[in-house]
Amino acid sequence: MDAIRIRGGKPLRGQVRVSGAKNAALPILCATLLSDGASLLRNVPALRDIDTTAALLRFLGRDCTVDAPEVRVAAGSDVRPEAPYELVKQMRASVLVLGPLLARFGRARVSLPGGCAIGARPIDQHLKGLEAMGASIQLQRGYVLAECARLHGAEICFDLPTVTGTENLMMAAALAKGRTTLVNAAREPEVEELGCVLNKMGAHIEGAGTDVIHIVGRDELEPFDHAILADRIEAGTFMVAIAATGGDALVEGAPLEHLEPVVVKLRRAGIIVEREGSAVRIAAPKRARATDITTAPHPGFPTDMQAQFMVLMCTGEGESVITETIFENRFMHVPELARMGADIEVRGNTAIVKGVRGLSGASVMATDLRASASLVIAGLVASEGETEVRRVYHLDRGYEHIERKLAGLGGDVERVQAGG
Ligand code: EPU
């Protein structure tokens, strides 16, 4: 099994380019189910989650070719509106086929994703919304069985903002009869991007990216050609990696407009963040200042950046308080960081990080993508010894060639074979 081996202690320098956004590409790939004809997605990152989605689309009967950074999807011969457990368990975002399948084919059988490493992650809001649009839904032996004649528009108020829930209902509503209003919708840039694609397909969507979205459904939608926006979380991960190593480097193509909360906190920690043409320059003092963060739905501080920011605080000056409000189990990196010398105390959903002078390398692993990224950053920071981050398949789900990109910044990082 692969591992990432890191010899740390070197400030990152040079330039790194950001790839397309995983969490925008996944719903947009699922949106191809809403039409026949051939759709083309450009700037798609080469990731395991993209391959899993392509496999799911093929299972559903679509003709899908991945040739990163391009993916083509066309209607195949037969449709099988079913997402099996084998694929859904690999990637929870598979649930994004539920809305499109139901709206397009009048039925869907989709495995319930179940809990995952970061929390229980129910999909009740997706299901309630589809029911309000006229679907009949049953849960049977771990599967959602959904049926409808034709979905109709509805007024739906989410109990809490959910990213994939908002996306599922937007896609369903785009082919429903009449007008749907989604209240308390997720405002993430990836939701806005999906709205833009659905409009290219001929839907009438207003307000995507705000907390109230209006959708007027159409009888048919067209295929599309779309280049995926840059990945704000990948960009943020590199920004924090450069900062944590005391480096000075450019992140090319970083979507600063979607990274406001991260930029504000980096600046408060004493990091220089400035736009230089199409890149963002990150320059760091020797030690960052302790800075508190609390994760929140967009435009708050993203939960997907919490683990990485914690590493910056591990060697910062002073004590910082990190509060996770989105997922109940997103501190899995803490015991691993402690093994590398970090001083962190977890109290419920809060981690109190006391900055230490340095970290040391160790063999570590995590069972979640962003936690794994944080361990890679910790390995780059560690000035003593070698770090081996195991279970690299988590990283491969969401970071394109991370070892090559970090090596391009001067990091001593390589992919190796490890014991498990
Ligand atoms: N929730 C419910 N009921 C629902 C849906 C969600 O209670 O029906 C709860 C969740 O348990 C969680 C909160 O609502 O406590 C927010 O979850 P959300 O539904 O927004 O998360 P998601 O759509 O499953 C997406 C990203 C995640 C990211 C979260 C939060 C994709 C494919 N995934 O997940 O990305 O952490 O939003 O921003 O867009 C990652 O990329 O590493 C990742 C985990």
Side-chain angles (χ1 to χ4, degrees):
M1 208 181 278
D2 284 358
I4 301 285
R5 183 192 292 154
I6 306 150
R7 294 182 192 91
K10 276 170 66 179
L12 296 181
R13 297 199 187 283
Q15 185 165 332
V16 64
R17 173 169 284 283
V18 178
S19 299
K22 165 179 87 81
N23 289 348
L26 300 180
I28 292 172
L29 277 167
C30 295
T32 61
L33 289 165
L34 293 167
S35 77
D36 282 332
S39 290
L40 172 63
L41 283 75
R42 288 174 286 113
N43 199 32
V44 179
L47 300 173
R48 206 160 65 98
D49 275 6
I50 298 296
D51 294 335
T52 306
T53 309
L56 176 57
L57 290 173
R58 283 185 211 112
F59 184 92
L60 296 169
R62 296 267 137 170
D63 190 354
C64 180
T65 325
V66 180
D67 185 9
E70 288 189 354
V71 180
R72 286 165 206 276
V73 189
S77 41
D78 281 329
V79 175
R80 175 164 43 163
E82 172 172 335
Y85 179 61
E86 278 313 306
L87 288 168
V88 177
K89 78 169 190 216
Q90 287 177 44
M91 190 191 66
R92 296 180 50 84
S94 307
V95 75
L96 284 166
V97 299
L98 179 60
L101 286 178
L102 191 57
R104 184 73 202 290
F105 305 106
R107 67 202 160 93
R109 183 170 183 268
V110 174
S111 172
L112 279 165
C116 78
I118 60 178
R121 301 182 77 180
I123 55 161
D124 57 302
Q125 300 297 310
H126 304 227
L127 303 184
K128 278 187 200 163
L130 292 171
E131 275 177 336
M133 293 168 78
S136 88
I137 292 185
Q138 291 177 49
L139 302 183
Q140 247 179 38
R141 293 195 209 139
Y143 276 78
V144 178
L145 305 182
E147 272 182 8
C148 62
R150 181 176 176 192
L151 292 175
H152 56 72
E155 283 191 354
I156 296 161
C157 180
F158 290 103
D159 294 338
L160 77 184
T162 151
V163 176
T164 50
T166 303
E167 292 165 345
N168 234 337
L169 297 193
M170 276 167 74
M171 290 190 277
L175 272 184
K177 190 170 170 56
R179 183 182 173 91
T180 297
T181 302
L182 303 178
V183 178
N184 198 21
R187 290 176 283 171
E188 270 67 4
E190 294 77 16
V191 173
E192 188 178 348
E193 180 88 341
L194 176 65
C196 163
V197 168
L198 292 172
N199 280 336
K200 277 188 182 176
M201 297 177 81
H204 294 295
I205 301 190
E206 275 175 24
T210 75
D211 57 358
V212 181
I213 305 177
H214 299 285
I215 304 138
V216 179
R218 298 289 303 267
D219 293 339
E220 277 183 18
L221 293 171
E222 302 292 321
F224 60 88
D225 175 337
H226 187 76
I228 305 292
L229 87 171
D231 195 315
R232 65 194 165 103
I233 304 299
E234 188 202 19
T237 302
F238 287 123
M239 287 159 68
V240 169
I242 296 162
T245 58
D248 185 343
L250 295 176
V251 183
E252 185 63 48
L256 261 199
E257 64 282 15
H258 299 147
L259 277 162
E260 278 297 327
V262 177
V263 169
V264 167
K265 292 294 181 178
L266 282 172
R267 288 193 177 133
R268 198 160 296 167
I271 312 298
I272 294 169
V273 183
E274 55 189 24
R275 197 182 275 282
E276 271 198 28
S278 58
V280 174
R281 176 174 169 238
I282 302 290
K286 275 234 154 7
R287 287 186 85 180
R289 264 196 309 272
T291 304
D292 299 344
I293 58 164
T294 298
T295 63
H298 192 78
F301 191 95
T303 173
D304 288 346
M305 282 300 301
Q306 177 259 108
Q308 301 90 311
F309 199 86
M310 189 185 289
V311 178
L312 177 64
M313 293 298 101
C314 281
T315 54
E317 270 191 282
E319 182 176 298
S320 52
V321 179
I322 295 185
T323 307
E324 171 60 52
T325 71
I326 307 291
F327 293 113
E328 64 272 25
N329 190 24
R330 221 175 190 185
F331 283 146
M332 283 168 307
H333 40 290
V334 169
E336 300 297 283
L337 292 174
R339 293 182 52 236
M340 298 177 74
D343 182 349
I344 308 168
E345 186 192 336
V346 174
R347 292 187 203 148
N349 70 341
T350 296
I352 295 136
V353 184
K354 292 194 182 110
V356 293
R357 288 228 155 251
L359 298 178
S360 49
S363 273
V364 287
M365 63 182 182
T367 45
D368 152 49
L369 165 60
R370 308 302 170 186
S372 300
S374 79
L375 298 179
V376 171
I377 300 175
L380 290 164
V381 171
S383 46
E384 273 172 34
E386 221 175 66
T387 296
E388 206 170 78
V389 180
R390 301 191 177 192
R391 299 200 180 163
V392 166
Y393 50 89
H394 290 295
L395 282 167
D396 291 339
R397 289 189 50 192
Y399 290 94
E400 182 175 74
H401 308 312
I402 190 166
E403 73 281 14
R404 278 192 232 162
K405 288 195 182 189
L406 289 171
L409 284 168
D412 189 345
V413 182
E414 59 182 339
R415 188 177 287 253
V416 295
Q417 290 277 309

